[in-house]
């Protein structure tokens, strides 16, 4: 009756795991020794247990086997470096050829070095120039449309500010009319020489709005008239 297959996984039981390690470690080192003797091979086996203990076997010496291994690995790696350098050199050459081709094509687009081109090449070049010109015009139109949109927004904002200023001018005009009404109430018609007479104060409610004046100038003019009238009223009342 043959042995049944076991599942290759970590043994949870510590005692069983240690027993299995000892058996298989001895079997591995025995096989390595037999391989070196039967086949005249240079064999080295190094094992570290879970507790950190070292177990090794070498047909000659561990150090000599490791040094030989390092030399062989260096020889294997060096060709790989050489092949990698060769690969990147080929890639760089391809890129240089592509750049030269692009530079030559660019010179042809600029109208240089076209004397040796055939009719078909010239026709293809002309078609390419037309497509490029269409792309440039489309981009230019897009930029102009964006600028027009921005300027339109600015104009709308200025119009809104203008409307607000107009409302302020209307309010100031109403205040001036109310002030003139108060002045007429204080003025005694029997006193013809009274300096409080509105005409003598130089205040004219129906002052026409000059169409060329801005709202800021109108606002400033109204404020100046109001200040002057208030000052003259104080002097008369004093």
């Amino acid at each position: 009756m043959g042995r049944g297959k076991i599942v290759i996984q970590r043994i949870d039981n510590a005692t069983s795991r240690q027993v299995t390690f000892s058996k298989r470690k001895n079997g591995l080192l025995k096989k390595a020794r037999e391989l070196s003797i039967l086949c005249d091979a240079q064999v080295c086996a190094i094992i570290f247990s879970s507790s950190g203990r070292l177990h090794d076997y070498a047909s000659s010496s561990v150090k000599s086997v490791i040094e030989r291994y390092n030399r062989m690995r260096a020889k294997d790696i060096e060709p790989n470096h050489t092949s990698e350098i060769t690969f990147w050199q080929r890639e760089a050459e391809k890129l240089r050829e592509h750049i030269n081709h692009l530079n030559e094509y660019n010179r042809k687009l600029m109208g240089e070095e076209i004397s040796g081109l055939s009719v078909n090449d010239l026709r293809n070049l002309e078609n390419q120039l037309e497509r490029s010109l269409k792309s440039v015009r489309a981009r230019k139109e897009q930029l102009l449309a964006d600028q027009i949109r921005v300027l339109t927004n600015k104009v709308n904002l200025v119009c809104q500010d203008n409307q607000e200023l107009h409302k302020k001018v209307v309010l100031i005009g109403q205040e001036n009319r109310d002030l003139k009404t108060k002045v007429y109430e204080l003025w005694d018609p029997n006193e013809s020489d009274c300096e409080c007479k509105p005409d003598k104060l130089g205040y004219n409610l129906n002052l026409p709005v000059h169409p060329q004046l801005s709202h800021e100038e109108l606002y400033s003019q109204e404020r100046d008239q109001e200040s002057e009238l208030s000052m003259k009223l104080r002097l008369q009342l004093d």
Side-chain angles (χ1 to χ4, degrees):
M1 185 174 179
R3 296 175 56 187
K5 293 185 178 180
I6 63 172
V7 179
I8 304 300
Q9 64 180 10
R10 183 179 182 276
I11 300 174
D12 295 331
N13 185 274
T15 303
S16 300
R17 185 168 62 249
Q18 184 62 34
V19 172
T20 302
F21 173 77
S22 298
K23 290 181 179 180
R24 295 200 173 231
K25 180 258 298 180
N26 293 332
L28 179 61
L29 296 180
K30 180 180 178 181
K31 292 295 183 181
R33 181 169 57 255
E34 292 175 355
L35 179 63
S36 64
I37 293 172
L38 295 174
C39 302
D40 193 20
Q42 195 173 6
V43 180
C44 174
I46 301 174
I47 304 172
F48 289 96
S49 66
S50 58
S51 60
R53 294 184 59 185
L54 171 65
H55 306 273
D56 60 348
Y57 168 78
S59 57
S60 56
S61 68
V62 175
K63 182 178 179 181
S64 62
V65 175
I66 292 176
E67 289 177 352
R68 183 175 181 182
Y69 170 79
N70 291 332
R71 288 194 300 270
M72 295 300 296
R73 289 292 298 168
K75 291 180 180 179
D76 293 338
I77 294 173
E78 184 176 358
N80 293 333
H81 282 290
T82 303
S83 61
E84 184 176 358
I85 293 173
T86 304
F87 169 78
W88 288 114
Q89 286 177 347
R90 288 197 299 267
E91 290 295 320
E93 184 64 27
K94 291 179 181 179
L95 289 176
R96 280 193 293 269
E97 292 178 357
H98 185 63
I99 292 172
N100 293 332
H101 176 72
L102 291 177
N103 290 332
E104 181 181 358
Y105 187 71
N106 187 38
R107 288 192 296 270
K108 291 178 180 179
L109 291 176
M110 297 298 294
E112 302 175 0
E113 300 180 3
I114 60 174
S115 58
L117 297 179
S118 63
V119 176
N120 291 331
D121 293 337
L122 291 174
R123 185 178 294 107
N124 294 332
L125 184 61
E126 182 180 6
N127 294 333
Q128 179 63 34
L129 288 173
E130 289 179 355
R131 289 193 295 269
S132 301
L133 185 59
K134 289 181 180 178
S135 300
V136 172
R137 287 175 177 172
R139 178 58 179 168
K140 181 181 178 181
E141 291 176 357
Q142 181 182 359
L143 292 176
L144 290 175
D146 294 339
Q147 292 178 359
I148 291 173
R149 185 164 52 253
V150 172
L151 292 176
T152 302
N153 293 333
K154 290 182 178 179
V155 169
N156 293 333
L157 293 175
V158 171
C159 290
Q160 293 178 1
D161 294 339
N162 195 12
Q163 292 176 359
E164 295 294 331
L165 291 173
H166 180 69
K167 292 179 181 179
K168 291 181 179 179
V169 170
V170 172
L171 292 175
I172 293 172
Q174 183 63 38
E175 292 176 358
N176 289 336
R177 285 190 290 272
D178 295 340
L179 184 59
K180 185 176 181 181
T181 302
K182 293 179 181 179
V183 171
Y184 273 107
E185 291 175 356
L186 295 175
W187 173 56
D188 187 1
N190 296 324
E191 298 179 2
S192 58
D193 295 333
C194 180
E195 294 182 0
C196 292
K197 189 175 181 181
D199 296 338
K200 290 186 177 182
L201 293 175
Y203 183 83
N204 185 6
L205 176 64
N206 298 320
L207 182 65
V209 178
H210 199 287
Q212 294 181 353
L213 295 179
S214 63
H215 291 145
E216 292 84 354
E217 293 173 343
L218 290 173
Y219 177 77
S220 177
Q221 186 181 39
E222 296 289 346
R223 296 300 295 178
D224 292 341
Q225 289 182 355
E226 182 181 355
S227 300
E228 183 180 357
L229 180 59
S230 300
M231 185 178 295
K232 290 183 179 182
L233 285 173
R234 290 196 204 96
L235 292 175
Q236 292 297 326
L237 294 174
D238 293 338

